[in-house]
Amino acid sequence: FAWLKSEKYLSPSNEPYQTYIDRGYFTFKPTKTQHNGHYRYTTRITPRGKVWLGCRLLVYFEQNGAI
């Protein structure tokens, strides 16, 4: 999550930015129960997002000399 936040794919509250939701990389689901009167949301990655994220990680590691 720290890397996703540093690369600006997730907001500081672990919510995906709308751009990446619109592209089909993430979904953002509310929980079934309320906590202190508010719903909590869970960030989930889609199958398309897994492929995209794998490519982004490869590029990142190649640029930083880790691979």
Side-chain angles (χ1 to χ4, degrees):
F1 281 97
W3 182 81
L4 290 169
K5 289 178 191 177
S6 71
E7 295 294 314
K8 305 294 185 203
Y9 300 130
L10 295 180
S11 70
S13 61
N14 290 338
E15 298 174 15
Y17 288 108
Q18 189 64 45
T19 303
Y20 301 110
I21 293 172
D22 293 343
R23 292 179 186 173
Y25 301 148
F26 297 99
T27 60
F28 197 54
K29 304 281 182 177
T31 58
K32 292 183 180 182
T33 58
Q34 289 188 6
H35 301 276
N36 296 327
H38 299 284
Y39 286 103
R40 291 187 180 179
Y41 291 86
T42 303
T43 298
R44 297 184 181 191
I45 190 165
T46 64
R48 179 180 180 171
K50 288 179 184 180
V51 173
W52 169 80
L53 184 57
C55 292
R56 297 301 308 148
L57 285 169
L58 283 174
V59 168
Y60 175 78
F61 286 126
E62 285 175 355
Q63 289 175 350
N64 292 310
I67 294 180

